[in-house]
C-alpha cells in the first residue's frame, strides 16, 4: 500500500501557511528562555529543543503536546512553555494546525494547539516574564491573541496593573472587537503607561526641582529622557 502522507502534508501546508507561527527570530521550538539559567535556574539543563525538521524530535513534540493537552502540567509555567514550544514545532513540522492536532491526538484540538503555539511566538521579553512566573501562562495565551504593538502594551499593563487572567481575556477581546488598548484598559481602571518607579533620593530631588522650575509634570521629563535614551 502506498503511503500518501508527504503529499497530504504538502497540501495541508499550502492551505495554512498564513496561520503558522513565524514571527520569532529564533528557531521554532528553540528553548531560548527555558534554557537560560538566569531565568530557569538549574532546570535550564532540562530544556528540550523541538526541531520540526527532525522526525524523532517531531515525534517527541507530538507526545509532549498530547500530554500537555491532557492536563499534565501541574500548573508548572516552565512546563507550559515547553508545551507551547512543542505546539509551535508540531505545527511547523506538520504544516497546519489541523494536521498537528491529528498527529498529537488525545485532547489536542486545533484551537488548543493554535493558542499555545501563539504563546511560543510571543516576544522574548514577554516569554521571560512568563518563565519567571510574573505573567501567568493562561494570561499569556490571551495576550497572544492580540496583534501589533497592543500585544506588548497589554503584557506590560498586565504586570503594572496587576490584571487577572479574566481581566486580560476581557481586554484582549475588547481590542479584537475594535476598541483601542487605551479604551479597553480604561474599562478596568488601568491607565496605559502608568508605572510606579523608585528613584534615588538625589535623582528624585533633581527631577522634582526641574519639573517645578519648568512647570511640567515629572512624568513628562521622565518620558522625554527615556525617549532620548532609547533612540
Amino acid at each position: 500500500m502506498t503511503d500518501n502522507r508527504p503529499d497530504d502534508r504538502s497540501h495541508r501546508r499550502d492551505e495554512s501557511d498564513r496561520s503558522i507561527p513565524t514571527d520569532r527570530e529564533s528557531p521554532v521550538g528553540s528553548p531560548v528562555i527555558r534554557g537560560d539559567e538566569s531565568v530557569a535556574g538549574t532546570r535550564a539543563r532540562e530544556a528540550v529543543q523541538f526541531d520540526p525538521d527532525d522526525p524523532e524530535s517531531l515525534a517527541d513534540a507530538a507526545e509532549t503536546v498530547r500530554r500537555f493537552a491532557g492536563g499534565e502540567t501541574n500548573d508548572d509555567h516552565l512546563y507550559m512553555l515547553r508545551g507551547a514550544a512543542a505546539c509551535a514545532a508540531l505545527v511547523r513540522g506538520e504544516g497546519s494546525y489541523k494536521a498537528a492536532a491529528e498527529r498529537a491526538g488525545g485532547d489536542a484540538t486545533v484551537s488548543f494547539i493554535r493558542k499555545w503555539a501563539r504563546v511560543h511566538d510571543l516576544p522574548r521579553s514577554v516569554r521571560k516574564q512568563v518563565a519567571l512566573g510574573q505573567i501567568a501562562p493562561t494570561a499569556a495565551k490571551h495576550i497572544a491573541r492580540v496583534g501589533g504593538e497592543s500585544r506588548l502594551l497589554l503584557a506590560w499593563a498586565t504586570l503594572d496593573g496587576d490584571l487577572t487572567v479574566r481581566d486580560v481575556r476581557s481586554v484582549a477581546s475588547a481590542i479584537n472587537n475594535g476598541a483601542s488598548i487605551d479604551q479597553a484598559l480604561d474599562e478596568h481602571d488601568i491607565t496605559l503607561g502608568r508605572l510606579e518607579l523608585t528613584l534615588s533620593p538625589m535623582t528624585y530631588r533633581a527631577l522634582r526641582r526641574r519639573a517645578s522650575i519648568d512647570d511640567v509634570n515629572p512624568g513628562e521629563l521622565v518620558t522625554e529622557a527615556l525617549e532620548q535614551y532609547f533612540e
Side-chain angles (χ1 to χ4, degrees):
M1 181 174 68
T2 302
D3 184 358
N4 294 322
R5 184 179 182 81
D7 291 337
D8 289 342
R9 179 180 298 180
S10 175
H11 177 65
R12 289 164 179 158
R13 182 174 289 111
D14 291 342
E15 289 180 335
S16 59
D17 269 350
R18 292 172 58 189
S19 65
I20 296 175
T22 56
D23 293 342
R24 284 185 58 181
E25 294 180 0
S26 54
V28 173
S30 178
V32 176
I33 297 298
R34 292 176 291 117
D36 184 345
E37 288 192 3
S38 68
V39 177
T42 57
R43 292 186 61 184
R45 302 169 193 168
E46 304 170 7
V48 176
Q49 177 168 346
F50 300 105
D51 183 353
D53 297 318
D54 182 322
E56 290 187 7
S57 183
L58 198 61
D60 289 340
E63 177 63 22
T64 298
V65 171
R66 180 163 51 252
R67 291 180 177 178
F68 183 35
E72 296 183 28
T73 63
N74 295 320
D75 292 326
D76 184 329
H77 49 275
L78 287 176
Y79 184 87
M80 288 183 174
L81 284 179
R82 178 187 293 186
C87 286
L90 191 59
V91 172
R92 173 61 63 193
E94 291 297 319
S96 75
Y97 292 109
K98 181 179 179 182
E102 291 174 352
R103 175 72 183 273
D107 296 321
T109 64
V110 169
S111 177
F112 178 89
I113 292 176
R114 179 188 292 113
K115 289 176 181 178
W116 286 103
R118 287 175 177 171
V119 168
H120 186 67
D121 203 34
L122 284 169
R124 179 176 180 177
S125 57
V126 178
R127 288 181 289 114
K128 181 175 181 179
Q129 296 305 312
V130 175
L132 291 171
Q134 299 302 310
I135 295 178
T138 46
K141 184 173 61 175
H142 295 297
I143 292 170
R145 293 165 47 205
V146 178
E149 185 182 67
S150 293
R151 172 182 287 186
L152 272 173
L153 293 174
L154 178 53
W156 307 139
T158 299
L159 289 175
D160 299 326
D162 198 25
L163 296 176
T164 66
V165 174
R166 180 176 294 181
D167 292 337
V168 176
R169 180 179 62 188
S170 175
V171 172
S173 295
I175 293 172
N176 287 333
N177 285 332
S180 69
I181 186 168
D182 305 70
Q183 295 171 327
L185 288 172
D186 188 58
E187 290 295 319
H188 295 270
D189 297 321
I190 301 296
T191 300
L192 185 63
R194 178 174 291 171
L195 176 66
E196 181 178 330
L197 297 174
T198 300
L199 306 174
S200 69
M202 184 176 297
T203 301
Y204 176 69
R205 182 187 63 191
L207 174 63
R208 276 298 188 182
R209 176 179 178 275
R210 175 56 61 185
S212 178
I213 291 174
D214 292 349
D215 194 24
V216 297
N217 186 289
E220 294 180 42
L221 293 179
V222 173
T223 296
E224 181 180 348
L226 288 176
E227 285 177 347
Q228 293 178 8
Y229 176 82
F230 288 123
E231 282 183 353

